[in-house]
Amino acid sequence: MKVGFIGLGNVGGKLAGSLLRNGFDLTVRDLNAEAARPFIDRGARWADSPKEMAEACDLVITCLPSPAASAAVMEAEDGILAGLSEGKIWAEMSTTDEAEVKRLGAMVREVGADPVDCPVSGGCHRAATGNISILAGADRDVFNRLLPVLKSLGRRVLHTGPLGSASVLKVVTNYLATANLVTLCEALVTAKAAGMDLNAAYEAIRISSGNSFVHETESQVILNGSRDINFTMDLVLKDVSLFQEVANRAGVPLEVSPLLIDIFEDGAARFGEREWSPNIIKRLEEATGLDITAPGFPAEMLDDEPEEPGYEVIPKGLGQGGGEA
């Protein structure tokens, strides 16, 4: 399968690297041509336009910072839609809006191709090693065709249902991660204010019912002081706002989600939209005059697990074959 990849940013570049590492015939493109240079040096080809890529490849993957960016790449005169044809697949790996991916997906189907939304979750460090998790929304037969590629990009692959379902569940998981980050910031600052040793506080949380993936990753870069998790405040706001829109459409009267949006809007206004998201703790550091750092923690997260072959995750209660069992 010839694979095209558009969007070589923090996550996209690492995913594209997994494709190269696993021997796929890869064509790349990014608005920043220099971002593509390392991939071309390792054997990937360059596409002069999204249309050219779609004409040359069996599968085109987009991994872009916003729904608007994906729409522009898809719908431009020389965009992906102009180059797609019967039997090809468009896979949207960006975190996007359910309604938007369905709108673009309908246009993909009109030209005979098949759409998939397949966002990833688990952090940039796991994207780099192919150990990230992937949620995939598509018709089952399309998912089966794409599964060998997804197994090379990630370790755990879940078929979530029809197109759009993965985008809903992705913003659900990002919402939970954001809520966890904010409560961890409050917990660490409160522990420090109460006279606790922060190294001991980290371990107490890690070995207790308070533990989480966010604690084992983001708390470490918070305590190091780098706060570098390769994710920024504007992206948090995008994701939580997408989650809020899902809830609004479903008529769910949320209470915590609007508060998280307020907190990160304040953080972005104070520290800048492109500030690392864990630096939301600075709001409390400034309010208390406390320094929430401790020795012995890494400046960035690296995945120390070996790369393993990916596999499909089957939801409890379903047999092999996922949603059709």
Side-chain angles (χ1 to χ4, degrees), residues 79-103:
I80 292 170
L81 284 166
L84 289 177
S85 57
E86 188 78 27
K88 294 179 184 285
I89 297 174
W90 166 58
E92 172 64 288
M93 299 196 80
S94 320
T95 300
T96 189
D97 176 62
E98 173 199 15
E100 178 65 2
V101 79
K102 286 181 175 179
R103 183 185 74 82

Side-chain angles (χ1 to χ4, degrees), residues 12 20 30 37 62-64 127 139 184 187 208 215 220 239 248 259 266 273 276 287 292-293 298 303-304:
L20 268 183
D30 192 275
R37 177 55 53 193
T62 48
C63 190
L64 298 162
D139 294 342
L184 281 165
S208 73
H215 177 60
Q220 294 206 59
D239 291 351
N248 290 345
L259 180 58
D266 180 65
E273 292 185 343
W276 295 129
I292 308 302
T293 58
D303 188 10
D304 58 4

Side-chain angles (χ1 to χ4, degrees), residues 260-273:
L260 292 177
I261 292 172
D262 289 345
I263 289 170
F264 271 90
E265 284 180 342
D266 180 65
R270 291 195 199 190
F271 313 125
E273 292 185 343

Side-chain angles (χ1 to χ4, degrees), residues 241-265:
S241 296
L242 287 171
F243 174 77
Q244 182 66 50
E245 289 170 14
V246 170
N248 290 345
R249 288 196 295 267
V252 181
L254 301 181
E255 297 175 275
V256 176
S257 173
L259 180 58
L260 292 177
I261 292 172
D262 289 345
I263 289 170
F264 271 90
E265 284 180 342

Side-chain angles (χ1 to χ4, degrees), residues 4 26 36 38-39 54 64-66 76 79 100 117 127 143 148 185 193 205 209 214 256 260 265 275 285-286 309:
L26 183 66
F39 301 92
L64 298 162
S66 69
E100 178 65 2
D117 61 322
F143 173 81
C185 290
I205 296 168
S209 59
V214 175
V256 176
L260 292 177
E265 284 180 342
E275 178 62 85
E285 285 181 312
E286 291 180 354

Side-chain angles (χ1 to χ4, degrees), residues 300-314:
E300 61 179 335
M301 296 309 303
L302 299 174
D303 188 10
D304 58 4
E305 296 182 52
E307 184 172 7
E308 295 182 5
Y311 59 90
E312 181 181 355
V313 174
I314 307 300

Side-chain angles (χ1 to χ4, degrees), residues 197-208 211 215 223 297:
D197 175 83
L198 286 176
N199 293 75
Y202 174 84
E203 291 300 334
I205 296 168
R206 189 184 67 83
I207 65 173
S208 73
N211 193 35
H215 177 60
L223 291 168
F297 292 94

